[in-house]
Amino acid sequence: MSRTRFTRRLPAAAAAAGLALAVAACGGESSSSSDGTTVAAADQLKPNADLSKQSVQITVWDGYTPKELPQKAMEQLKIKNVQIQLHETNEVAMTKLTAPGDSGIDVAFVSGQYAQALNEQGLLEPMHHELIPNLANLYPEATQLSYDKGNKYSVPYTWGTTGICYRSDLVKSEPTSWNDLLKPPAWADKKVTMLATERWLALPALKSLGYSINTDKDEELEKAKELLVAQKPHLLRYDDTTFGDRLVSGEAVMAEAWDGWCPTTDPKGNIKFAVPKEGSDLWVDTMVIMKSSKNKEAAHALINYILSPEIHSWAAENINYKVPNKAAMEQVKIAKGSLLGTTPAELLAGEAAIDLGQASTKYTRLQQDVTAS
């Protein structure tokens, strides 16, 4: 199994900039459905459209889909052309998707709260479920995601949670609480890392205090900041990318980590992952179709193809992230120690991060205040 490192999220300033762009974007026509969800007006699509006259441009993280996806899609779906553009982060994708004029992008991969922000601005085409029969492969839980119940405008691609990744042979007691990171014991002093990305930096403190990870209350964010500032002298460092290597080497003994990046399949078997008793999050990366796409039938066909077990299982096998596709996961050989066996019900116990609009800048300030303290 190979494992590609990529950055799905960037630090505070970039995150805020990305969502602010979405807020400022000029969207298409939209309306509110009975459940309050803003849904763009759907185009009339042709189920039997000639895909050989349509081309699809995708924007996605490097290493997040099979390299041979474009060629296979052209051969099997008879789409005229499929091309991939790469983005390093959600924020880069948002800049591309919300810029004035036609981005030329048909299908975009972004995290759930970013899909929500795009949809609220009327920039997304509603999903035409009749053109995506492989939606039936999804776990029922994957249709109940809080930012988009019923998969009205997005289709989940990968999902997971955040917890404590740790060296079971180097800790004197196994971590069970976010306070084990926030107030590390003396034997772990300066051997702990935390995620620096703003929403995930705040997550352990908010959960330990019993608050929502989506809170926009100033008093709750202030208490979370106080905890994080007090923790800082006891940290090894903030680290979004190399904490797994630091655990393997023994430089770190505990780290706040996304589950798929916690190297629990290390041959020595000493690295474990725990979801703290106070609870955690549910993160989701999604596929969306832009309202501006001129190739919507081919875009739907491509998403349907990606949801086939053969293609979707690739993500679990190669980037070590769970996929919300029951038929695909049933094909995956789960290695000893792997976190791929986490069930959908266990994941949905986590709180999904949602787009906070302008309130997201409060998390930007919190992150800046903590890291600059």
Side-chain angles (χ1 to χ4, degrees):
M1 176 185 293
S2 64
R3 188 175 177 203
T4 302
R5 296 277 184 177
F6 56 91
T7 305
R8 294 188 302 118
R9 308 169 176 93
L10 258 196
L19 291 178
L21 281 169
V23 170
C26 297
E29 294 182 2
S30 61
S31 60
S32 295
S33 64
S34 57
D35 63 0
T37 303
T38 301
V39 181
D43 285 348
Q44 294 296 315
L45 302 188
K46 299 175 182 177
N48 299 315
D50 184 357
L51 302 186
S52 68
K53 296 181 180 178
Q54 296 191 16
S55 298
V56 177
Q57 286 273 352
I58 307 168
T59 185
V60 63
W61 296 278
D62 191 12
Y64 216 43
T65 55
K67 287 185 178 178
E68 63 273 21
L69 177 64
Q71 188 62 38
K72 278 191 171 182
M74 286 188 285
E75 292 174 357
Q76 297 190 25
L77 304 178
K78 308 303 181 186
I79 296 175
K80 181 180 178 181
N81 192 18
V82 177
Q83 292 188 340
I84 288 181
Q85 298 182 24
L86 300 179
H87 58 249
E88 293 183 350
T89 67
N90 274 309
E91 293 72 32
V92 172
M94 293 294 278
T95 300
K96 186 186 306 183
L97 298 173
T98 60
D102 183 359
S103 68
I105 298 297
D106 301 288
V107 175
F109 286 67
V110 293
S111 296
Q113 62 270 41
Y114 292 82
Q116 180 188 0
L118 289 170
N119 182 63
E120 288 174 352
Q121 294 307 309
L123 295 177
L124 298 185
E125 175 70 13
M127 289 291 166
H128 294 247
H129 287 202
E130 71 278 11
L131 299 184
I132 317 175
N134 282 338
L135 282 170
N137 291 336
L138 296 181
Y139 290 106
E141 291 89 343
T143 69
Q144 298 302 314
L145 301 167
S146 60
Y147 62 86
D148 183 19
K149 289 189 176 181
N151 308 124
K152 295 183 179 71
Y153 56 83
S154 65
V155 174
Y157 180 68
T158 55
W159 58 0
T161 190
T162 307
I164 301 176
C165 187
Y166 65 98
R167 281 285 298 263
S168 60
D169 57 325
L170 297 180
V171 297
K172 292 188 176 180
S173 60
E174 307 226 333
T176 60
S177 167
W178 287 118
N179 286 319
D180 294 316
L181 285 182
L182 294 166
K183 302 172 183 176
W187 51 262
D189 195 48
K190 297 189 183 300
K191 295 181 180 179
V192 169
T193 70
M194 289 279 286
L195 298 174
T197 308
E198 57 185 30
R199 298 291 293 275
W200 283 268
L201 171 63
L203 185 154
L206 292 173
K207 282 297 183 184
S208 75
L209 292 165
Y211 303 149
S212 167
I213 62 169
N214 297 307
T215 184
D216 61 358
K217 296 179 180 176
D218 293 337
E219 64 274 20
E220 293 182 353
L221 291 169
E222 182 62 28
K223 289 182 179 177
K225 186 178 80 172
E226 291 172 1
L227 263 180
L228 293 167
V229 169
Q231 174 205 37
K232 190 176 176 183
H234 304 287
L235 288 180
L236 172 62
R237 61 182 295 158
Y238 296 106
D239 185 352
D240 285 19
T241 56
T242 62
F243 55 80
D245 296 331
R246 296 180 192 281
L247 287 162
V248 170
S249 71
E251 182 183 9
V253 298
M254 291 190 290
E256 181 193 5
W258 296 301
D259 50 356
W261 285 24
C262 180
T264 54
T265 56
D266 182 72
K268 294 182 179 179
N270 291 324
I271 297 180
K272 309 292 184 185
F273 181 83
V275 176
K277 61 184 179 183
E278 298 92 347
S280 189
D281 68 338
L282 165 66
W283 61 257
V284 186
D285 289 338
T286 73
M287 299 177 281
V288 299
I289 297 174
M290 302 307 296
K291 185 73 179 172
S292 57
S293 170
K294 299 178 178 62
N295 306 285
K296 294 188 177 71
E297 288 89 352
H300 280 81
L302 181 68
I303 288 177
N304 187 61
Y305 180 58
I306 290 172
L307 291 180
S308 64
E310 172 199 357
I311 300 300
H312 213 174
S313 61
W314 178 95
E317 292 169 347
N318 289 274
I319 58 177
N320 207 30
Y321 278 168
K322 294 171 284 296
V323 298
N325 184 320
K326 184 174 186 294
M329 287 302 295
E330 288 175 347
Q331 292 192 5
V332 176
K333 185 176 181 180
I334 298 177
K336 183 179 180 181
S338 170
L339 300 173
L340 291 176
T342 307
T343 67
E346 290 170 328
L347 286 177
L348 260 70
E351 183 181 10
I354 62 172
D355 173 37
L356 297 175
Q358 291 295 341
S360 64
T361 58
K362 296 182 179 181
Y363 284 81
T364 303
R365 288 196 295 273
L366 181 149
Q367 195 264 5
Q368 291 173 341
D369 290 347
V370 170
T371 56
S373 65

